[in-house]
Amino acid sequence: MSAANLLGYRRQNGDIGIRNYVAVISAMDNSNPVVRRVVNAVQGTVALTPGFGRAMLGDDYEQHKNTLIGLGTNPNVYGAIVVSLEINSALAIAGGIAASGRPAEVVSIEDVGGTVRATEVASRYAMKMALDAGAQAREPMSWSDLVIGLECGGSDGSSGLVSNPATGKVADMVIERGGTAIMSETLEILGGEHLLAVRAKDRATGQKLVEAVNFCVTYASEMGVDVLGSNPTPDNILGGLSTIEEKALGAIKKGGSSTLMEVVGYGRRPSCKGFVVMDAPCPGIENMTAMASAGCHAIVFSTGKGNTSGNPVAPTIKVSGNPYTVVNLADNIDVDLSAVIAGEMSLDGAAKILEARLADVCNGSMTRAEVLGEVEIAISRIGRCL
Amino acid sequence: MTKCLVLDKKDNVAVSMAPVKAGDQVDFSGGENVVAIDEVPFAHKIAIKSIPRGARVYKYGEVIGEATEDISAGQHVHVHNIRSLRVRR
């Protein structure tokens, strides 16, 4: 099958996006209500409304700020309006976004005169930016420009047989065409890390992956907790997954078979193309926030029992091979691969269907998560506020 | 006859392709046929040979945990009779 042609929106810094969103960002939780009002008032915008952000300390503050800058400079973002209670926290984030050449405006609620006035000021900025974004035309985009995120959530016994391996084949295809695929969810590599480490481009990269996984074991042990019931989650267990090793061995199939080029930290953009692992926590909203901050254009989200999550800046394609889930959660599943379970479709055939849907989504077709407004984000905490 | 997939020749469990009721004949895709002892929901695991307590459980040809009790061929294999070897209290 010849590769579909892709069209995207070019950015000043060389990025090319598959969407042209105006991002309205809260620097901190207390500004979320203003941001939601702005997004309700102006079409073409997306709300990025994190928890926390006020008086964060050290690495925690850096991670919060850098993740919001990462989301605001995702290739799919045209420009951003950053809203905060006071000006400095807004400027810190808007400055990072403006450095990419994107338009960035700030609104300080206390400086403009309160919530109603801040909503008006931010809405006018958003309206102008949405009109400017709408005037931009799509241009040819190479598959080598594409970065996809590989996510799984609500996994079950079907995930490792159908939706994860089909996703892995699509990842290999994107990489074969020069693009990038990022897999994450570090704990869900535990039990299969040896299989990924041997695919690393060199010993140091393989070692970095193994150390990231071992950190999860040490952390759980120090807390004195059993991860069973947390991961595998209760729905994973209902779906037939008994241990974290079993879940992981199915989960890593979404990483395909390409050489592991790099292990990157939370929310960081890879420095190379190809197959990349990001060390970040597993929960879907939290992990996809880090993936989108790292510049993923789209996320292929493999599910067994089902999951509703989407990301506000990286369109999220839900794929399932579970014949019950594709009926029960029909609202939320974009790609039904259950014919593989029935023995009526090969995995190669399944991957072709998923690849075609990915190309359509890149070219503007909306995912179910986009249509349904599944736009939550959650930035991981490292420590606590004092 | 309900089909269950054995994913690797090292495996001692198979994955059910449809819900299995106790007493059902189970077809292990080329292996021997066994009568299911327990109900096995869709995409859950069924033992295809006896797995003694403490023995490793293999799926995808890899270790997914250890048996916490003796498991007979045809039994449902899940959190009640296997556990992680890597992360547990």
Side-chain angles (χ1 to χ4, degrees):
Chain A
M1 191 165 84
S2 65
N5 293 323
L6 304 181
L7 293 168
Y9 301 96
R10 213 161 273 290
R11 313 290 172 213
Q12 231 178 63
N13 69 341
D15 286 352
I16 182 161
I18 63 167
R19 294 292 184 273
N20 216 21
Y21 292 130
V22 171
V24 188
I25 302 174
S26 312
M28 55 183 70
D29 46 16
N30 54 31
S31 311
N32 289 344
V34 169
V35 165
R36 291 192 191 102
R37 286 188 189 95
V38 172
V39 167
N40 283 334
V42 183
Q43 303 307 302
T45 56
V46 287
L48 299 176
T49 48
F52 310 106
R54 180 74 162 160
M56 295 181 93
L57 291 164
D59 290 346
D60 225 15
Y61 168 69
E62 291 299 320
Q63 182 153 294
H64 183 88
K65 182 187 70 176
N66 290 335
T67 305
L68 289 175
I69 293 171
L71 292 168
T73 54
N74 180 286
N76 298 340
V77 173
Y78 171 86
I81 295 106
V82 184
V83 180
S84 190
L85 180 63
E86 47 72 38
I87 192 75
N88 287 313
S89 51
L91 284 171
I93 293 160
I97 295 168
S100 75
R102 286 167 176 77
E105 301 287 354
V106 293
V107 178
S108 158
I109 298 171
E110 64 182 27
D111 288 318
V112 299
T115 293
V116 174
R117 180 82 178 119
T119 304
E120 184 199 340
V121 172
S123 296
R124 291 195 184 281
Y125 282 140
M127 186 177 163
K128 177 175 187 315
M129 231 180 255
L131 288 166
D132 292 344
Q136 191 180 0
R138 284 184 180 257
E139 298 170 40
M141 172 178 176
S142 163
W143 280 85
S144 67
D145 292 321
L146 190 67
V147 182
I148 61 167
L150 311 168
E151 188 78 19
C152 59
S155 297
D156 70 5
S158 78
S159 299
L161 304 185
V162 184
S163 51
N164 286 334
T167 300
K169 283 175 182 288
V170 171
D172 284 344
M173 178 279 298
V174 169
I175 291 165
E176 206 171 287
R177 293 176 190 164
T180 302
I182 307 178
M183 185 173 88
S184 183
E185 306 175 275
T186 312
L187 177 62
E188 294 173 15
I189 295 173
L190 195 155
E193 65 268 41
H194 57 295
L195 302 173
L196 289 181
V198 297
R199 283 166 49 189
K201 66 165 185 184
D202 56 32
R203 208 183 154 78
T205 306
Q207 190 57 33
K208 196 169 173 186
L209 175 89
V210 170
E211 280 166 14
V213 173
N214 285 342
F215 171 82
C216 297
V217 180
T218 308
Y219 192 80
S221 155
E222 283 172 1
M223 288 176 75
V225 294
D226 187 340
V227 296
L228 183 68
S230 160
N231 204 344
T233 59
D235 50 320
N236 296 153
I237 294 169
L238 274 173
L241 300 176
S242 309
T243 65
I244 186 63
E245 296 98 306
E246 180 186 12
K247 182 175 175 179
L249 287 160
I252 64 170
K253 293 192 181 295
K254 69 184 181 291
S257 59
S258 306
T259 302
L260 172 62
M261 298 301 293
E262 191 175 14
V263 177
V264 294
Y266 180 94
R268 296 303 173 105
R269 279 200 183 202
S271 66
C272 61
K273 293 179 184 289
F275 179 54
V276 172
V277 168
M278 179 195 292
D279 182 16
C282 298
I285 298 288
E286 186 178 1
N287 195 264
M288 288 195 291
T289 301
M291 290 275 209
S293 171
C296 287
H297 291 88
I299 295 170
V300 179
F301 191 119
S302 159
T303 186
K305 289 290 280 183
N307 193 303
T308 56
S309 311
N311 181 272
V313 298
T316 307
I317 303 165
K318 294 282 172 25
V319 52
S320 182
N322 182 320
Y324 305 97
T325 300
V326 297
V327 175
N328 292 342
L329 265 80
D331 287 350
N332 302 91
I333 307 298
D334 294 282
V335 182
D336 169 2
L337 301 181
S338 61
V340 176
I341 290 288
E344 293 159 0
M345 187 195 285
S346 69
L347 274 179
D348 285 332
K352 283 197 168 64
I353 290 171
L354 183 54
E355 177 196 331
R357 183 70 192 135
L358 172 64
D360 286 345
V361 167
C362 287
N363 284 329
S365 172
M366 287 176 91
T367 67
R368 284 168 180 266
E370 281 182 287
V371 169
L372 293 169
E374 300 285 347
V375 294
E376 293 307 306
I377 59 168
I379 303 171
S380 300
R381 295 293 305 262
I382 299 168
R384 50 177 280 184
C385 290
L386 296 173
Chain B
M1 189 84 92
T2 308
K3 196 172 169 186
C4 289
L5 272 188
V6 182
L7 304 176
D8 189 276
K9 59 183 188 304
K10 271 172 90 172
D11 290 359
N12 45 17
V13 297
V15 183
S16 64
M17 294 292 99
V20 173
K21 292 194 290 291
D24 280 358
Q25 277 280 338
V26 174
D27 168 13
F28 290 131
S29 53
E32 293 165 40
N33 292 342
V34 167
V35 175
I37 295 171
D38 305 314
E39 184 187 332
V40 182
F42 166 70
H44 283 229
K45 297 174 294 300
I46 181 169
I48 60 171
K49 52 186 82 163
S50 61
I51 309 171
R53 182 178 175 201
R56 291 177 169 205
V57 181
Y58 287 87
K59 180 182 171 186
Y60 305 111
E62 299 288 333
V63 177
I64 62 164
E66 66 173 1
T68 55
E69 57 187 60
D70 292 338
I71 302 171
S72 307
Q75 268 190 288
H76 184 207
V77 175
H78 203 13
V79 288
H80 60 286
N81 53 16
I82 75 169
R83 66 175 177 178
S84 171
L85 280 160
R86 296 288 300 279
V87 187
R88 63 183 191 224
R89 191 153 32 193

